[in-house]
Amino acid sequence: MIFLHLCSKKDEMNPARRFKRYKVDVMEINGRMVLAKYVRILNISIGGVALHTDKKLNMGIHYKLTIEGRGRTLKVIGMVVWSQLTESRKDLLGNVIPIYTSGMKFLDLSDEKISEIAAFIEEHGKEREKKAEIYKSSGARLYVRFNIIEPEKATLHFYESYRIKELSLSGMLAECDQALEIDNKIQMEIFLSEDKHINLLGRVVSFRTSAGKEAEMHDMGIEFIDMSEEDREKLKAFIHLLQIMDEGF
């Protein structure tokens, strides 16, 4: 049996909000959001890349990587084949930040994408006089790996899960293990059921660390700022169901 905790009509209504929020934390409504981190590229080849991150990358998971520099932008999808803790640093507040070194294998290497990566390597390779030669031997591609002279502006895009605690037509309160900044705009998904989900663009309007958790978790208040009409109708139908259940208590 699923129990539903609902906000009282009198004291849980925030007059600053346009719509009432319903507590749905025990319904196990989850979602995922697309986050981005800046990373440092160590070396690159036609087949993959090694990089430094302050987050452990999960083996076998696919990530989108965007590298910018010297008038070029390279966008690739890679799968993590190894990741290990290699060092730690302290930030300005004295907090210890773990640094991981990870290797990613590029996926979907069409001839066009291979040419794009090769051109990027030619421009950024340590040995500028060398060309990134691509050739075949027994049906397998062999690649030269180049170190990166200068740190490039690289962004790693990845999915993070969250659990919804309160939900309304205009926003939600969700719990996650990632630290986010106020006013961040994030592409998000909400899974209302096994076969029904909605996509939206959300803005972080509040953020605080949850109390009484073994692992550090955070509560984030999200304002819905963009959503398709189809997804808005799905959300309205779900909220209407919550209203009916609320009136039945």
Side-chain angles (χ1 to χ4, degrees), residues 46-63:
I46 300 296
V49 65
L51 63 165
H52 271 167
T53 68
D54 59 359
K55 168 186 170 62
K56 182 175 174 58
L57 304 184
N58 298 320
M59 296 274 291
I61 300 300
H62 298 180
Y63 294 85

Side-chain angles (χ1 to χ4, degrees), residues 117-163:
I117 298 172
F120 185 89
I121 290 175
E122 284 187 33
E123 190 68 28
H124 292 74
K126 188 172 184 179
E127 298 178 29
R128 298 291 299 277
E129 71 278 2
K130 286 189 176 181
K131 300 291 185 180
E133 297 181 358
I134 305 171
Y135 59 94
K136 293 184 178 181
S137 176
S138 301
R141 298 184 190 276
L142 303 179
Y143 309 118
V144 179
R145 183 172 292 273
F146 291 90
N147 294 324
I148 298 296
I149 299 176
E150 303 171 2
E152 299 299 328
K153 182 181 178 182
T155 310
L156 190 69
H157 303 269
F158 58 96
Y159 286 109
E160 281 290 340
S161 298
Y162 59 86
R163 184 174 67 90

